[in-house]
């Protein structure tokens, strides 16, 4: 159960503040239900209502990790290599599953996999893979920037510095 004034990462909407937990009767329904009233931080005019009793939808609400957890995630992801899947359809399904789950370690591993793949090949990565990379980067940038209170443009530098400092620690 989430609480009022808590910040969560909700599906494709990104970071949202739980403004209220209220009873509502939605269009077409005769019953009143409890809803989380979510306000996306980057979409001032949007408001999202998520039924409290809908496990599938509430399962898409993930707490924003605190800064110390982000540092642990970065360090952990550095040592996890995602194998390249040659079958395009299988690779796309795997990548879409990772995007849907929103697990930060898996997202960082996905980003690293696509980044290194693009450097290995003169032709780079496919358009579809590039779009997946962009989506994964956007999720990580928004979530990490919000938690760390730094600009999204500086997240790449932050991650790189943590990778380099973990090299010094493990050496």
């Amino acid at each position: 159960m989430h609480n009022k004034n808590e910040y969560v990462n909700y599906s494709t909407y990104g970071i949202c503040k739980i403004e209220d937990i209220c009873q509502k009767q939605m269009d077409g329904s005769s019953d009143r239900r409890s809803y989380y009233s979510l306000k996306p931080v980057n979409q001032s005019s949007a408001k999202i209502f998520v039924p409290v009793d809908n496990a599938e939808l509430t399962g898409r609400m993930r707490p924003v990790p605190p800064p110390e957890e982000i540092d642990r995630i970065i360090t952990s992801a550095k040592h996890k290599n995602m194998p390249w899947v040659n079958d395009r359809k299988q690779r796309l399904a795997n990548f879409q599953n990772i995007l849907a789950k929103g697990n930060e370690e898996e997202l960082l591993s996905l980003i690293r996999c696509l980044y290194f793949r693009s450097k290995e090949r003169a032709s780079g990565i496919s358009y579809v893979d590039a779009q997946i990379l962009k989506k994964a980067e956007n999720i990580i940038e928004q979530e990490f920037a919000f938690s760390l209170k730094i600009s999204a443009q500086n997240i790449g530098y932050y991650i790189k510095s943590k990778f380099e400092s973990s090299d010094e620690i493990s050496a």
Side-chain angles (χ1 to χ4, degrees), residues 23-95:
Q23 295 285 318
K24 287 190 78 63
Q25 181 179 341
M26 293 297 206
D27 293 338
S29 174
S30 60
D31 298 329
R32 292 179 66 78
R33 295 170 73 184
S34 291
Y35 288 86
Y36 291 111
S37 173
L38 305 180
K39 180 78 172 148
V41 297
N42 290 335
Q43 300 174 34
S44 60
S45 62
K47 189 167 271 198
I48 305 156
F49 292 97
V50 179
V52 171
D53 61 354
N54 186 320
E56 181 182 343
L57 295 178
T58 58
R60 296 178 189 172
M61 295 170 56
R62 297 179 292 106
V64 177
E68 57 277 359
E69 177 67 9
I70 288 174
D71 290 347
R72 188 204 61 75
I73 289 166
I74 293 168
T75 302
S76 176
K78 179 184 181 192
H79 303 290
K80 292 183 180 174
N81 292 323
M82 180 179 290
W84 184 257
V85 176
N86 286 321
D87 182 270
R88 189 174 27 125
K89 289 181 182 179
Q90 186 180 1
R91 183 174 66 246
L92 178 59
N94 183 39
F95 288 170

Side-chain angles (χ1 to χ4, degrees), residues 6-168:
E6 182 180 339
Y7 286 92
V8 295
N9 195 335
Y10 182 65
S11 189
T12 58
Y13 293 96
I15 306 297
C16 298
K17 180 179 182 180
I18 300 175
E19 288 192 324
D20 199 8
I21 302 170
C22 56
Q23 295 285 318
K24 287 190 78 63
Q25 181 179 341
M26 293 297 206
D27 293 338
S29 174
S30 60
D31 298 329
R32 292 179 66 78
R33 295 170 73 184
S34 291
Y35 288 86
Y36 291 111
S37 173
L38 305 180
K39 180 78 172 148
V41 297
N42 290 335
Q43 300 174 34
S44 60
S45 62
K47 189 167 271 198
I48 305 156
F49 292 97
V50 179
V52 171
D53 61 354
N54 186 320
E56 181 182 343
L57 295 178
T58 58
R60 296 178 189 172
M61 295 170 56
R62 297 179 292 106
V64 177
E68 57 277 359
E69 177 67 9
I70 288 174
D71 290 347
R72 188 204 61 75
I73 289 166
I74 293 168
T75 302
S76 176
K78 179 184 181 192
H79 303 290
K80 292 183 180 174
N81 292 323
M82 180 179 290
W84 184 257
V85 176
N86 286 321
D87 182 270
R88 189 174 27 125
K89 289 181 182 179
Q90 186 180 1
R91 183 174 66 246
L92 178 59
N94 183 39
F95 288 170
Q96 287 176 329
N97 183 44
I98 291 169
L99 288 173
K101 286 193 304 186
N103 176 284
E104 294 88 357
E105 284 182 39
E106 290 181 357
L107 287 166
L108 284 174
S109 293
L110 167 67
I111 291 167
R112 288 185 73 232
C113 175
L114 288 170
Y115 176 78
F116 287 125
R117 181 68 175 185
S118 72
K119 298 297 179 197
E120 290 172 355
R121 302 181 66 219
S123 61
I125 55 177
S126 72
Y127 175 79
V128 172
D129 289 335
Q131 292 302 306
I132 295 286
L133 175 60
K134 185 175 182 171
K135 287 178 185 177
E137 287 174 333
N138 287 338
I139 293 167
I140 289 294
E141 284 173 355
Q142 185 183 43
E143 190 169 300
F144 286 16
F146 182 83
S147 180
L148 297 168
K149 296 177 180 29
I150 61 177
S151 73
Q153 295 85 355
N154 290 327
I155 293 301
Y157 299 114
Y158 183 86
I159 292 170
K160 184 178 178 195
S161 75
K162 291 297 176 182
F163 278 175
E164 291 169 355
S165 69
S166 69
D167 280 342
E168 295 167 7

